[in-house]
Amino acid sequence: MINLYSDTATRPGPRMRQAMAEAEVGDEQLRADPTVNRLCERVAEMLGTERAMFLPTGTMCNQIALRVHCEPGDEVILEESAHNRHYETGAPAALLGVSHLPVAGNAGVFDAAQLKSSIRPAGHHFPRSRVVLIEQTANLAGGTIWPIETLEDVCRTAAEHGLKRHLDGARLFNAVVAEGVPADRYCRAFDSVWIDFSKGLGAPVGAALAGSEEFVERAWRFKHQFGGAMRQAGIIAAGALYALEHNIERLREDHENAALLAGGLAQISGLEVDAPSTNMVFFRTTPGGLGASELAERLRRRGVAVSTMADGRLRAVTHLDIERADVLRAVETAQGCLE
Ligand SMILES: *Cc1c(COP(=O)(O)O)cnc(C)c1O
C-alpha cells in the first residue's frame, strides 16, 4: 500500500526503535523521566520558549492551552477550516465551555483587519474574545503557510486587544523548512505553542506544548486533570528526540514529492489539483465525472490510500515513508483509475 492518507502513517524505523528501546526512563508525572526532561529542554530551546511539556497528542495540547487561557463563556477566534473546530470532537465546548468564532480566511490565513472586526465589543451580552488560534501550517486549507509578516501582524493586533495568542504547530516545521523562517521566530509572537511528533516528524506518539514558565506550570495541573500525566514516557519521548534530530531537514523531500505528485495528477484529465505549499496535495474530480469517494475507493483497491474530505476534495499527504518512486506509481495508478 502507498499510504498517502496522512503523514501520521509513518512507522518508526530501526534506528528510531533502537533509540526508544535504549531510552533511560523514570516517572514522568513526578517530572523524573530523564529522556522526557531532555526532550522538553530541547523543544524549549528550539521554539525559544522558557519551558515545554510532553503530552500524548496535539489534541490534548490544544485543549490544555485553551484551558489555561480561558474561562467558560470565552471565545476563541480561529480560521474557519481550523482543526480545533472540526476534528477534535467539539472538545473546547465539551470540556472547557469555550466557543469558536470562525473567520473566513484566504487559504487558511486571515489578516489583522479581519481579526479586529471579529473581536467582540465590551458588554455584558457578549462572549469574551479571549484567544486567537493560528494553525501553522493550515491543514484543511491545503497545508498552507501563514507568512511571517501576516502572523506577526495578527498577533500584534491580538495583543493590543488583550487576546492570548495560541499556535497550533502540528506542522510548524513544514513551514520552517519551506520558508526558511526559524521556529523560534514564528513562536515569539505567541503565549502558547505546540508541535506534533507524530505527523511529518515521523515519531509514533507525542506532542509538546510550550510557553512561559508560568504558562507551563499552570498547564501541568491540567495535564494531570485531563489524564495526560504519564509514567515511563521516556520510551516514546526518545522517538520524539530522534525525530527532532533527524527528521526536520528531510521534510524538504516531502515537499518536493508533494510538488511532483501535484504536477503528475494535474496532467490527468478528470482531476483538478491545487498547487501544494508543503506536504499536502488537495484535488477533486471534475463535475460530471467520477465521484471523489469512488475515486478514493478505486485507488485503494489498486494500492493507493488517500483521504476524502467532507466537501468532496481528496487529500494526499507525503511523508517519511513515501519515496519518489511511490509518488510516480501513485500518479500512474490515478491515471489508470480515470481511464
Ligand atoms: C493532527 C492535528 C492536530 C491534532 O493532533 P493529534 O496529535 O492528532 O491529536 C491538531 N491540529 C492540527 C492542525 C493537526 O493537523
Side-chain angles (χ1 to χ4, degrees), residues 27 30 39 55 95 127-128 131 138 182 192 196 203 207 216 232 292 332 334:
D27 192 334
L30 298 178
L39 174 66
L55 288 168
L95 305 178
R128 180 176 66 153
V131 175
S192 52
D196 214 323
V216 172
Q232 287 72 32
E332 250 176 56

Side-chain angles (χ1 to χ4, degrees), residues 230-245:
M230 297 174 273
R231 300 268 155 60
Q232 287 72 32
I235 295 279
I236 53 177
L241 265 170
Y242 184 93
L244 287 179
E245 192 79 19

Side-chain angles (χ1 to χ4, degrees), residues 12-338:
R15 284 198 293 266
M16 182 184 280
R17 284 174 187 264
Q18 174 131 24
M20 295 174 78
E22 291 169 359
E24 248 191 289
V25 296
D27 192 334
E28 194 262 354
Q29 57 173 253
L30 298 178
R31 309 189 194 189
D33 185 295
T35 307
V36 171
N37 292 345
R38 208 144 47 80
L39 174 66
C40 292
E41 279 163 29
R42 183 80 189 108
V43 168
E45 189 186 329
M46 290 175 88
L47 303 187
T49 61
E50 285 175 5
R51 291 267 302 277
M53 151 193 291
F54 189 46
L55 288 168
T57 65
T59 299
M60 196 182 278
C61 291
N62 270 339
Q63 269 52 255
I64 289 180
L66 296 181
R67 178 65 185 83
V68 172
H69 296 316
C70 298
E71 290 176 20
D74 284 352
E75 195 167 61
V76 175
I77 300 171
L78 37 51
E79 211 277 331
E80 62 181 9
S81 70
H83 193 283
N84 187 245
R85 178 169 178 236
H86 295 287
Y87 284 85
E88 297 173 25
T89 57
L95 305 178
L96 316 174
V98 162
S99 55
H100 284 146
L101 189 99
V103 178
N106 176 13
V109 176
F110 54 85
D111 61 24
Q114 283 179 291
L115 171 65
K116 211 165 162 182
S117 63
S118 305
I119 297 172
R120 304 281 185 170
H124 62 266
H125 289 100
F126 305 116
R128 180 176 66 153
S129 302
R130 183 59 178 159
V131 175
V132 63
L133 182 156
I134 287 177
E135 199 176 290
Q136 180 78 306
T137 63
N139 179 347
L140 279 302
T144 50
I145 297 170
W146 278 73
I148 183 70
E149 298 79 18
T150 313
L151 180 150
E152 288 180 341
D153 211 26
V154 165
C155 286
R156 199 175 311 116
T157 302
E160 282 164 13
H161 290 80
L163 269 64
K164 297 289 180 185
R165 293 140 289 158
H166 174 65
L167 179 67
D168 174 337
R171 295 185 180 81
L172 178 65
F173 283 108
N174 291 86
V176 167
V177 165
E179 296 285 279
V181 173
D184 61 348
R185 170 102 192 263
Y186 282 125
C187 294
R188 202 178 299 157
F190 293 90
D191 297 291
S192 52
V193 299
W194 66 269
I195 55 170
D196 214 323
F197 302 114
S198 72
K199 301 279 170 78
L201 294 181
V205 190
L209 176 63
S212 68
E213 180 84 36
E214 188 197 348
F215 168 81
V216 172
E217 207 41 56
R218 290 191 60 206
W220 258 98
R221 180 166 174 76
F222 303 120
K223 173 176 161 79
H224 278 267
Q225 200 171 76
F226 287 18
M230 297 174 273
R231 300 268 155 60
Q232 287 72 32
I235 295 279
I236 53 177
L241 265 170
Y242 184 93
L244 287 179
E245 192 79 19
H246 297 94
N247 294 345
I248 293 179
E249 279 306 312
R250 66 147 308 284
L251 290 170
R252 282 176 216 289
E253 292 168 37
D254 298 344
H255 300 175
E256 284 162 17
N257 282 335
L260 183 69
L261 178 62
L265 293 176
Q267 302 294 314
I268 300 173
S269 81
L271 292 182
E272 290 166 13
V273 186
D274 296 340
S277 306
T278 51
N279 68 330
M280 294 185 175
V281 180
F282 281 82
F283 57 106
R284 48 184 80 62
T285 52
T286 45
L290 200 62
S293 44
E294 202 183 341
L295 175 56
E297 184 47 38
R298 282 193 194 179
L299 283 166
R300 181 174 288 279
R301 266 188 264 123
R302 297 178 192 206
V304 177
V306 299
S307 54
T308 47
M309 305 281 119
D311 60 7
R313 290 178 303 164
L314 295 146
R315 189 188 74 172
V317 187
T318 54
H319 53 76
L320 186 55
D321 294 352
I322 294 294
E323 291 171 10
R324 193 182 155 84
D326 299 320
V327 171
L328 298 175
R329 250 184 61 217
V331 171
E332 250 176 56
T333 307
Q335 173 82 62
C337 290
L338 283 151

